[in-house]
Amino acid sequence: MRLFRLSRLIVGALSIPGLGLAQERDPTGRYDVLEPADHLEDLLEEPELGVAPGRPFTIDLALGGAFSTNAGQSRSSPVQTGVATPSLAVRAVPISLGSWRLRGSLTADGDYFVGDYNDRFGEGRLEARGYAEHEVGPGDLRAGYRVLGGFSNDFAEWNYTLQVTSLAYTVSIEALRGELSAEYHGSDDPNLRRTRVTSLLAYRLPEPQFGYDVTLGGMLQYSDFRAGDNSGRSDVTAQIPLGAARAFSNGVSLGWFAAFSHRFSNRDRSRFTEFDIGPTISKTF
């Protein structure tokens, strides 16, 4: 069950000189605001080894819907609008290799905005991820690599590619989990190259609320850009996410998500405040 699959709600729409994207967006906005919230499920819902209906992978279909107070993640001209995000994911059942635990996934999804905003903000994505995890001391060490391709949301036009190499350490104390991670984002476009450090804390309430498992979180993130027109740019993003999920029969789940985010930056155009809220329904085969 995917708790927060609607995390692909909104993508950035900040114009960066020299970026060369048709929709004039800053793809770093999506990662800074939405990916850490999506990662809450990875912190609190580890898939079990061998859990699959007789095959080494599962298939997830999901449809998310959301409302954002700042869909373009703009400091001075926020856009309030809705978006639908369908997705298809194939996830390998985690396997053990010695003392390491391996897992990976392939995902295709897209953002389809209400009205004329779809031409400005709409995006399609193809992503491949792979992780290796190992117990170290009281927690788990995870090394990961992923490749993300950004397209127009009809997948007719390629816009950019990101290659993300990451190293993270996670510690759990009952229902509380914390993680510290470091990443390097490589790209064909120098404006998107950066180093990012993230601290994330997640707590699941001990009892379901109205049938939903509820998770509270807090995130603080620092990004350092050293290439292209963004050379010398530094961002600090703070976020308070809240998620609720309920599993039904036959692999169907319903999730709700809300997040308040604020990004500080030494570049005025990169600062913004945003609130996102919406549901996601998903089915795992």
Side-chain angles (χ1 to χ4, degrees):
M1 179 181 67
R2 306 299 292 172
L3 296 184
F4 306 118
R5 186 45 47 202
L6 65 134
S7 61
R8 311 214 185 258
L9 304 179
I10 311 295
V11 291
L14 303 176
S15 175
I16 298 181
L19 187 59
L21 303 184
Q23 288 117 338
E24 295 185 340
R25 75 156 57 89
D26 174 7
T28 65
R30 169 185 174 271
Y31 280 91
D32 285 352
V33 173
L34 300 171
E35 192 216 3
D38 182 42
H39 190 48
L40 282 176
E41 66 176 286
D42 296 321
L43 285 178
L44 293 174
E45 186 183 32
E46 293 293 334
E48 296 296 329
L49 294 176
V51 177
R55 60 177 185 266
F57 62 90
T58 62
I59 299 173
D60 288 355
L61 292 175
L63 177 62
F67 174 80
S68 174
T69 63
N70 194 353
Q73 297 175 334
S74 169
R75 180 186 183 188
S76 59
S77 302
V79 171
Q80 299 183 14
T81 189
V83 59
T85 304
S87 69
L88 169 65
V90 178
R91 308 184 193 283
V93 173
I95 61 173
S96 291
L97 183 63
S99 59
W100 289 87
R101 176 185 172 107
L102 309 179
R103 57 192 177 108
S105 65
L106 299 172
T107 304
D109 67 352
D111 295 325
Y112 299 87
F113 288 80
V114 174
D116 295 338
Y117 295 118
N118 195 51
D119 293 334
R120 295 173 58 187
F121 304 145
E123 182 182 67
R125 291 172 295 272
L126 297 176
E127 183 181 63
R129 301 188 184 202
Y131 295 103
E133 300 169 316
H134 187 273
E135 290 187 11
V136 176
D140 294 315
L141 181 69
R142 184 181 72 251
Y145 181 75
R146 58 186 156 174
V147 178
L148 171 70
F151 302 81
S152 58
N153 61 9
D154 60 0
F155 290 92
E157 181 181 353
W158 169 79
N159 289 330
Y160 63 90
T161 301
L162 292 177
Q163 304 95 27
V164 182
T165 304
S166 62
L167 189 65
Y169 188 69
T170 305
V171 176
S172 302
I173 304 176
E174 297 182 351
L176 182 68
R177 299 194 77 178
E179 181 179 278
L180 181 65
S181 65
E183 300 174 334
Y184 176 73
H185 292 210
S187 178
D188 53 312
D189 191 307
N191 293 294
L192 304 183
R193 299 171 192 166
R194 59 172 171 162
T195 300
R196 190 177 73 166
V197 178
T198 303
S199 60
L200 181 63
L201 191 66
Y203 175 74
R204 175 168 292 173
L205 298 186
E207 298 293 336
Q209 305 296 313
F210 304 101
Y212 286 83
D213 292 325
V214 178
T215 303
L216 307 174
M219 182 273 291
L220 191 65
Q221 184 182 90
Y222 172 76
S223 291
D224 180 48
F225 295 80
R226 293 295 179 183
D229 296 314
N230 276 333
S231 182
R233 171 180 157 189
S234 297
D235 296 342
V236 175
T237 304
Q239 182 185 87
I240 301 175
L242 169 67
R246 183 172 182 175
F248 298 92
S249 60
N250 300 320
V252 176
S253 62
L254 177 64
W256 295 86
F257 180 80
F260 176 81
S261 308
H262 183 79
R263 185 160 76 180
F264 307 86
S265 178
N266 62 352
R267 302 285 179 90
D268 286 347
R269 68 188 175 200
S270 298
R271 304 172 188 172
F272 64 86
T273 300
E274 179 178 343
F275 178 75
D276 301 298
I277 187 169
T280 289
I281 187 168
S282 64
K283 175 159 176 74
T284 300
F285 298 89

